[in-house]
Amino acid sequence: MGRESLPTLAMVMVQLGFAGMNVVSKLALDTGMSPYVLIAYRNIIAAVFLAPFAYYFERKSGMVITKKVLVQIFFSSIFGATLNQVLYFVGLKYSSPTVASALNNTLPAVTFLLAALLKMEPVEGSAGLAKVAGTAVCVAGSMLMTFYRGPLVRTLASPVHWPYVQGTIAAAHAGGHAVVLGAVLVIGSNVAWAIWFIIQKKLSKSFASPYTSTALMALIASVQCAAIAGAAERRFSAWELGLDIRLVGALYAVTKRSLHHDRP
């Protein structure tokens, strides 16, 4: 039972880590940190962090990086790292951790729809109808959690009171166009992520070295994201990191990304 439950436990831990990343990243963004700078740091640190693991575990794998593999990794970096993260973290800035987490549940639905359109997923028969029904329920539930504004649920008083945390709570209940924009951006991020899953499916057949491909993807994405951040943030002060929530947010995002390197 212990060995068989490890994959399930690992997936649960990844989801818990993802939820924590939403909260910590939102706090970093609410201190004024640019989402573009956060993404750039995330990919730069991830590339440096993953490179030794890729060398240690896969230096004797015998896999050859061909032009086809490089092209696949390049497009993986565009959709799975750069575009996915830019849309997601900007969407998180304009919404809330709860909204972002709820809308992430539309990812399986978006992936299924894209796979069905590309004839990679059958939709005939009872199994196909069940998948379609599950997709509809998934999207409906995510939309309900995102846009429903009910009464505030009171919890136990927290001994920690940070001004930007209070601002986050106020913004989450304010609603308005910002929340809608954030939701649209997060959904766009899921579309990019779904495309990445499809690319990764093909990449896993031609280059079965997940650490190496992920390190290369992070390296290429770090260049792309640094260029975007440099164009969006011309101030050197925007890149400053101290012993504060900004550094924690960047390092936490890297840890979550490293835990989520496996192929679909």
Side-chain angles (χ1 to χ4, degrees):
M1 279 294 292
R3 217 174 258 280
E4 293 177 355
S5 61
L6 282 179
T8 302
L9 179 61
M11 288 187 288
V12 171
M13 294 301 296
V14 167
Q15 293 304 314
L16 290 175
F18 197 33
M21 187 202 70
N22 285 332
V23 175
V24 173
S25 298
K26 178 63 175 177
L27 295 179
L29 294 173
D30 283 349
T31 64
M33 187 176 190
S34 167
Y36 307 104
V37 173
L38 175 60
I39 296 164
Y41 275 129
R42 184 189 191 195
N43 285 284
I44 292 170
I45 300 173
V48 174
F49 178 79
L50 288 170
F53 289 95
Y55 176 77
Y56 179 79
F57 289 110
E58 298 174 350
R59 66 184 186 277
K60 298 180 181 179
S61 64
M63 299 299 298
V64 178
I65 304 177
T66 62
K67 290 182 180 180
K68 177 183 177 181
V69 170
L70 278 177
V71 170
Q72 291 174 330
I73 293 176
F74 176 76
F75 281 103
S76 290
S77 69
I78 290 178
F79 289 100
T82 303
L83 187 58
N84 166 253
Q85 293 177 45
V86 167
L87 292 173
Y88 185 83
F89 280 97
V90 176
L92 179 62
K93 180 178 177 65
Y94 286 110
S95 58
S96 69
T98 304
V99 170
S101 296
L103 286 176
N104 269 329
N105 293 319
T106 63
L107 177 60
V110 174
T111 305
F112 170 71
L113 291 175
L114 285 177
L117 290 174
L118 295 173
K119 306 298 183 182
M120 299 175 64
E121 190 74 36
V123 294
E124 296 84 6
S126 57
L129 292 176
K131 292 178 182 178
V132 173
T135 299
V137 172
C138 174
V139 173
S142 298
M143 294 299 102
L144 178 64
M145 282 200 64
T146 301
F147 297 107
Y148 175 70
R149 289 290 178 270
L152 180 64
V153 178
R154 298 291 179 182
T155 58
L156 296 176
S158 172
V160 180
H161 297 282
W162 291 336
Y164 50 86
V165 173
Q166 301 300 324
T168 300
I169 295 174
H173 291 278
H177 297 293
V179 174
V180 175
L181 175 61
V184 171
L185 291 174
V186 173
I187 293 174
S189 168
N190 286 340
V191 174
W193 204 354
I195 296 173
W196 174 77
F197 276 124
I198 295 173
I199 297 174
Q200 285 290 95
K201 182 66 176 180
K202 296 182 178 296
L203 178 59
S204 63
K205 296 179 180 179
S206 57
F207 191 75
S209 298
Y211 287 100
T212 301
S213 63
T214 306
L216 289 173
M217 185 180 72
L219 177 62
I220 296 173
S222 66
V223 176
Q224 297 168 351
C225 293
I228 295 173
E233 297 292 342
R234 304 286 180 89
R235 300 170 294 109
F236 286 106
S237 59
W239 293 82
E240 293 178 355
L241 290 177
L243 297 177
D244 52 18
I245 192 64
R246 297 188 180 195
L247 178 61
V248 174
L251 293 177
Y252 193 107
V254 171
T255 304
K256 193 272 168 191
R257 178 174 181 79
S258 300
L259 288 172
H260 196 257
H261 74 274
D262 290 336
R263 298 283 161 75

